[in-house]
């Protein structure tokens, strides 16, 4: 339901906010929808991976962190393109090791857990 109502919600937010500012800003088409779809895609890829592979929670979390990394980079690039500035502070640019180390840790724990739960015969 949230996925279906995201775009109308963004348009209602834009419409309502433009009542209260002197110069209306139309941001949903160029900014809100692409970013919203990027985040929904990150969630969908993670959920699809979980459903198709029956991955445990650790593997799913590691994959979600990687999807989160790419969605965050896309979000900041879109914002910079929309504003014409390059001033957004990007965790993914400044400290990508945080994403990759956390993802690697969860993926490693997930693989160890999977191997421990499925002994060889």
């Amino acid at each position: 339901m949230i996925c279906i109502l995201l775009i109308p919600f963004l348009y209602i937010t834009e419409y309502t906010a433009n009542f209260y500012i002197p110069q209306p800003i139309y941001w949903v088409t160029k900014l809100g929808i692409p970013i919203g779809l990027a985040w929904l895609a990150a969630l969908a890829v993670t959920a699809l991976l979980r459903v198709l592979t029956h991955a445990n929670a650790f593997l799913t979390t590691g994959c979600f962190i990687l999807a989160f990394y790419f969605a965050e980079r896309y979000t900041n690039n879109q914002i910079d393109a929309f504003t014409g500035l390059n001033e957004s502070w990007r965790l993914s640019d400044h400290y990508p090791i945080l994403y990759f180390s956390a993802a690697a840790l969860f993926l490693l724990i997930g693989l160890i857990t999977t191997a421990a739960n499925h002994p060889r015969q």
Side-chain angles (χ1 to χ4, degrees), residues 16 27 112:
T16 306
W27 52 270
I112 291 169

Side-chain angles (χ1 to χ4, degrees), residues 64-102:
F64 177 70
I65 291 171
L66 292 175
F68 188 97
Y69 170 78
F70 291 109
E72 193 257 338
R73 287 194 63 124
Y74 179 77
T75 298
N76 288 324
N77 288 337
Q78 288 294 106
I79 291 170
D80 286 345
F82 183 75
T83 60
L85 303 171
N86 192 14
E87 295 181 0
S88 63
W89 191 82
R90 301 171 183 198
L91 184 63
S92 59
D93 281 349
H94 297 296
Y95 302 105
I97 191 71
L98 293 176
Y99 284 105
F100 294 126
S101 60

Side-chain angles (χ1 to χ4, degrees), residues 7-8 24 31 40 68 71-72 92 95 99 102 105 107-108 116 120:
I7 294 172
L31 192 63
L40 288 176
F68 188 97
E72 193 257 338
S92 59
Y95 302 105
Y99 284 105
L105 178 66
L107 291 171
L108 180 65
R120 294 183 189 184

